[in-house]
Amino acid sequence: MKILRYPSNAAEKKMRSIIARDIDFRKADVQAVTRILNDVKRNGDEALIRYCQAFDAPGMTIETLAVTPEEMAAARTKVDRAFLKALNRAVAQIDGFHRQQLPKSWIDTRRPGTLLGQMVHPVDAAGVYVPGGKGGNTPLVSSVLMGAIPAKIAGVPKVVMVTPPMPSGEVAPHLLVAAKKVGVDAVYKVGSAWAIGALAYGTETLPKVNVVVGPGNIFVTLAKKIVAGTVGIDMIAGPSEILIVADGTADPEYIAADLLSQAEHDPLASAILVTDSAELAQAVKAAVEIQLAALSRVDIARQSLSAFGAIMVVENVDVAIGLANHIAPEHLELQVAEPMDVAPRIRNAGAIFLGPYTPEPVGDYMAGPNHVLPTAGTARFSSALSVDHFMKKTSLIRYSRAALRKEARDIISLATVEGLGAHASAIRIRLKKKAK
């Protein structure tokens, strides 16, 4: 990793290249995914089976598209106690955090003659996309938990899960056990863009849902972008990223490990250290090289660090905070002597990890907050996946005759300015008639 002084021309150039790493799609990919979505919309199950057989499971049929109760029961016998123990703890802690997010309906009658309020209801159905994870060899259990738990807490009556099957036509047992644990109502063996199309439009077998959430590759992400508006989505997520703000009290080996925990995701992932200690910068650089050599995904991590990694040495922590707010990272670690003094000054970040014993993977699996976070600077205006993504809010308005008469002139005035005569007439007609 290169060490750069910030601000400097070289550092500014590096930061521009990282910030410019926005979420973009090639024209050919847009056209391909659009064709797939249109195919699923027109041909339903027939299209799903065709894509499943071509790309995932050659023996897939319409009859085997849905996971059966027998498959769910069999999965339970294929996982060990250590997994079940970890799963139970993660579910309890993720559930506990998200229950604090539940919004409430409310009514306000403080203005004489009026009743104003808001009703909060869950959507009728939600779909959770779970990536295949190397053909089922690395089942992404955390994606099941982070998508389904807030949906169930919101009160969504029907939560379905889609995931690419293994070549055998099966789904990894760890995913099925997790889905059962969190109350997923149905699991379907379908992935990629055609799975998103099935959730958005519905097929003979898969139900149409109202909200689609969950991570995926570029084709899943692009499909979500295209169907957004037909259904609600969580976000358009880009490559993973971490920014660590550290002072001279930080442990360089901890920082190196945390930088690599993101760099190993993707060649486009970003890992940045910002520190006011030149000594720490040198120590982290050395520790990264030592730890990098031991990684199984060394080539991916090295590409990421070369293109989008950096160590920035700044004058003080104040400059580091300003840089963090400018970048708006997905994951922000504060490895400083007093992280709680710094945290209130962070305005733009997906999640903040406080202190030396809170590495980013804690948030990925166990802490409780959702790990589906805004990337590519979108933390400036968006938030983590939450219970709110599965709920909708309806306003309540009621006026008495007296309350309407009191505000009638102002309403008519605004309607007239906007050139909407019928709006004004809807008020005037009520002023002319006697009360019933």
Side-chain angles (χ1 to χ4, degrees), residues 79-420:
V79 300
D80 59 28
R81 287 188 176 184
F83 169 74
L84 292 174
K85 179 176 179 290
L87 177 67
N88 289 338
R89 172 173 284 180
V91 169
Q93 294 176 180
I94 296 166
D95 185 284
F97 179 88
H98 286 82
R99 285 193 184 279
Q100 300 295 323
Q101 298 176 334
L102 271 171
K104 296 180 180 179
S105 299
W106 55 270
I107 289 175
D108 182 3
T109 58
R110 286 175 295 177
R111 278 166 47 195
T114 68
L115 179 151
L116 305 172
Q118 182 173 266
M119 295 190 302
V120 181
H121 296 292
V123 299
D124 293 332
V128 178
Y129 187 93
V130 177
K134 293 186 178 180
N137 294 319
T138 57
L140 301 183
V141 174
S142 58
S143 292
V144 180
L145 310 187
M146 297 298 179
I149 288 175
K152 298 303 287 190
I153 289 173
V156 179
K158 189 173 186 65
V159 177
V160 302
M161 182 177 112
V162 293
T163 189
M166 296 183 282
S168 64
E170 299 175 303
V171 173
H174 296 84
L175 296 183
L176 296 184
V177 171
K180 178 75 171 178
K181 175 70 178 178
V182 298
V184 170
D185 297 291
V187 180
Y188 298 97
K189 305 169 188 177
V190 58
S192 197
W194 43 97
I196 302 303
L199 293 173
Y201 307 126
T203 72
E204 297 89 335
T205 299
L206 270 71
K208 174 179 168 59
V209 302
N210 307 115
V211 173
V212 177
V213 304
N217 63 18
I218 187 172
F219 300 107
V220 171
T221 303
L222 181 51
K224 286 168 64 179
K225 181 180 176 68
I226 293 170
V227 302
T230 299
V231 292
I233 64 170
D234 46 2
M235 61 190 72
I236 305 299
S240 190
E241 57 200 24
I242 189 169
L243 187 147
I244 301 174
V245 172
D247 60 18
T249 67
D251 187 314
E253 293 187 347
Y254 291 176
I255 294 174
D258 295 356
L259 291 171
L260 291 171
S261 74
Q262 295 308 293
E264 73 171 353
H265 272 295
D266 189 313
L268 294 176
S270 174
I272 303 170
L273 167 64
V274 184
T275 180
D276 62 351
S277 169
E279 293 77 13
L280 179 69
Q282 291 291 345
V284 169
K285 180 179 180 180
V288 165
E289 285 303 317
I290 293 170
Q291 294 183 27
L292 184 61
L295 291 183
S296 60
R297 298 167 67 91
V298 58
D299 291 338
I300 292 173
R302 195 177 294 280
Q303 289 178 63
S304 165
L305 294 178
S306 175
F308 303 111
I311 298 174
M312 301 286 182
V313 179
V314 296
E315 184 177 350
N316 52 50
V317 173
D318 289 342
V319 177
I321 293 169
L323 189 53
N325 282 323
H326 178 57
I327 294 172
E330 177 188 14
H331 307 103
L332 173 64
E333 289 188 4
L334 297 179
Q335 296 203 33
V336 295
E338 299 294 340
M340 287 304 294
D341 291 343
V342 176
R345 299 169 62 190
I346 301 297
R347 302 188 311 278
N348 303 323
I352 303 174
F353 300 78
L354 305 167
Y357 299 106
T358 320
E360 184 277 332
V362 168
D364 275 350
Y365 300 111
M366 193 64 63
N370 210 287
H371 76 194
V372 180
L373 300 168
T375 64
T378 58
R380 296 185 187 92
F381 55 81
S382 60
S383 308
L385 179 64
S386 71
V387 170
D388 276 345
H389 282 87
F390 302 96
M391 307 197 83
K392 49 197 175 64
K393 299 169 185 177
T394 303
S395 299
L396 291 173
I397 307 169
R398 181 180 179 180
Y399 270 48
S400 68
R401 179 178 173 82
L404 179 61
R405 292 181 69 87
K406 181 179 179 181
E407 298 179 9
R409 288 179 180 273
D410 292 334
I411 298 170
I412 292 170
S413 177
L414 292 174
T416 301
V417 168
E418 294 188 353
L420 299 174

